[in-house]
Amino acid sequence: MRELKLKNKIASIPIIQGGMGVGVSRCQLAGAVAKEGGVGIISTAQIGYDEEGFSQNESQCNLHAIDAHIKKAKETANGNGLVGVNVMVALKHYKEHVIQAVQSGADVVICGAGVPTDLPAIIQQAAAQFHIPAENIPAISPIVSSEKAARVILKMWDKKYNTTPDFIVIEGPKAGGHLGYSKDQLTNIDAIPYEEEIKKIIACKGEYEEKYSKSIPVIVGGGIFDKRDIDWAFGLGADGVQIASRFVATYECDASEAYKQAYIQAKTEDVQIVQSPVGMPGRALHNSFIQQVETSPKKITKCYQCLKHCNPAQVPYCITKALIDAVKGDVEGGLVFCGSNVGRIDCILSVHDLMKELTAD
């Protein structure tokens, strides 16, 4: 299988393990994926949830955890693959998380759940502040779901920063977690011309590749389950794929055993679209928690200061508490994000065996 070059950094296997928060993809999973030659991604969303003093100082605990988990993952990778972070633009401390990731030596920074209009400036600021050599500055990518979004970012970064993304991650309508589509669109995903959007995005980056004399790899995600799906993405012109849900059902995944078993036991009909306090729809497993918040909001007794635009008095539940409860093992009383193919997952594998399956000729 071809290698994946992101800026001046190379992964021998063109598979990016998608970032999953809270706490689902941290150093154990990301390090194991990188060790196999892929790109392991740590989600920074409330990453320090289990650190002492988190409830009193969430922001500092998260920054400390970002540093610790990047370094531990790179230690596990032992020079193989790449280790990076996924930072949600919707986070109140989005900028601080990116800066910390640069300081801690992340190889890549991927940003979604919003438009990362100022990402190049933040990266440049962090590189200058910490005297990061050019070759160690992370490769950066936005997450997009449409040609329109890709064009906006390409044009904006070109005009404002005289630069372009090092790669582009496309998340389709079958992805898990927060989605760049309306709830109405997601009720009939077969009507979304996803293949055409991928082709259009690949075409629209061409002028910027020419202008900056560089390749801008395109990574396709959302519903990628097996080698057949990977070949489909390559057939459309993709340079790599992003896979998330399948990595939950691995021994190395950072989530609790109960969380992994929720994936194993899930059926296709258990998956539903929910409205997140982030302001975007998301895909999750139907459970007691979702059933309750659909009829009456869960009273928020503590604000974790996670989202820029969140009014605890107006949202139906606290997403931080819901995700932490789930990752710790309360899969009925918390929020369990998942991809559309979760019903096809029937066993837990090692990351080594999963990567071997995904790359088998």
Side-chain angles (χ1 to χ4, degrees), residues 347-361:
C347 65
I348 295 180
L349 302 170
S350 66
V351 167
H352 173 78
D353 287 343
L354 177 56
M355 292 289 273
K356 191 173 178 181
E357 175 193 320
L358 293 170
T359 57
D361 290 334

Side-chain angles (χ1 to χ4, degrees), residues 223-295:
I224 306 294
F225 187 87
D226 54 23
K227 182 64 164 51
R228 192 177 185 178
D229 296 323
I230 295 173
D231 291 341
W232 165 81
F234 286 161
L236 295 174
D239 301 282
V241 294
Q242 178 178 275
I243 301 173
S245 292
R246 290 215 65 189
F247 284 103
V248 173
T250 60
Y251 296 115
E252 295 90 343
C253 176
D254 297 86
S256 66
E257 184 63 25
Y259 195 99
K260 298 175 190 182
Q261 287 302 321
Y263 268 52
I264 299 295
Q265 295 164 18
K267 300 180 178 63
T268 301
E269 56 267 29
D270 295 328
V271 180
Q272 75 173 85
I273 303 300
V274 299
Q275 193 62 38
S276 164
V278 168
M280 306 169 74
R283 179 172 281 111
L285 290 179
H286 182 81
N287 60 8
S288 300
F289 170 80
I290 289 177
Q291 196 169 332
Q292 179 183 341
V293 297
E294 282 179 336
T295 56

Side-chain angles (χ1 to χ4, degrees), residues 120-298:
I122 299 172
I123 295 289
Q124 290 165 14
Q125 175 191 332
Q129 181 180 345
F130 301 111
H131 308 289
I132 308 293
E135 64 272 16
N136 292 339
I137 296 174
I140 60 176
S141 170
I143 295 176
V144 301
S145 296
S146 67
E147 178 203 15
K148 181 180 179 181
R151 281 194 181 279
V152 166
I153 292 171
L154 287 164
K155 186 175 181 179
M156 182 181 296
W157 286 14
D158 172 47
K159 184 176 181 180
K160 195 171 181 180
Y161 304 111
N162 194 34
T163 192
T164 192
D166 296 308
F167 62 109
I168 297 171
V169 175
I170 310 174
E171 279 191 2
K174 294 182 178 181
H178 295 111
L179 302 164
Y181 300 87
S182 70
K183 203 165 183 179
D184 288 340
Q185 285 178 307
L186 294 169
T187 58
N188 185 18
I189 59 175
D190 291 334
I192 298 174
Y194 186 42
E195 284 195 12
E196 292 307 310
E197 288 297 320
I198 294 170
K199 292 175 183 177
K200 287 177 182 177
I201 292 169
I202 291 171
C204 81
K205 71 186 176 83
E207 65 178 284
Y208 298 93
E209 289 181 316
E210 186 175 343
K211 178 174 181 177
Y212 290 98
S213 300
K214 64 182 280 188
S215 172
I216 306 173
V218 167
I219 313 301
V220 170
I224 306 294
F225 187 87
D226 54 23
K227 182 64 164 51
R228 192 177 185 178
D229 296 323
I230 295 173
D231 291 341
W232 165 81
F234 286 161
L236 295 174
D239 301 282
V241 294
Q242 178 178 275
I243 301 173
S245 292
R246 290 215 65 189
F247 284 103
V248 173
T250 60
Y251 296 115
E252 295 90 343
C253 176
D254 297 86
S256 66
E257 184 63 25
Y259 195 99
K260 298 175 190 182
Q261 287 302 321
Y263 268 52
I264 299 295
Q265 295 164 18
K267 300 180 178 63
T268 301
E269 56 267 29
D270 295 328
V271 180
Q272 75 173 85
I273 303 300
V274 299
Q275 193 62 38
S276 164
V278 168
M280 306 169 74
R283 179 172 281 111
L285 290 179
H286 182 81
N287 60 8
S288 300
F289 170 80
I290 289 177
Q291 196 169 332
Q292 179 183 341
V293 297
E294 282 179 336
T295 56
S296 60
K298 285 184 74 75

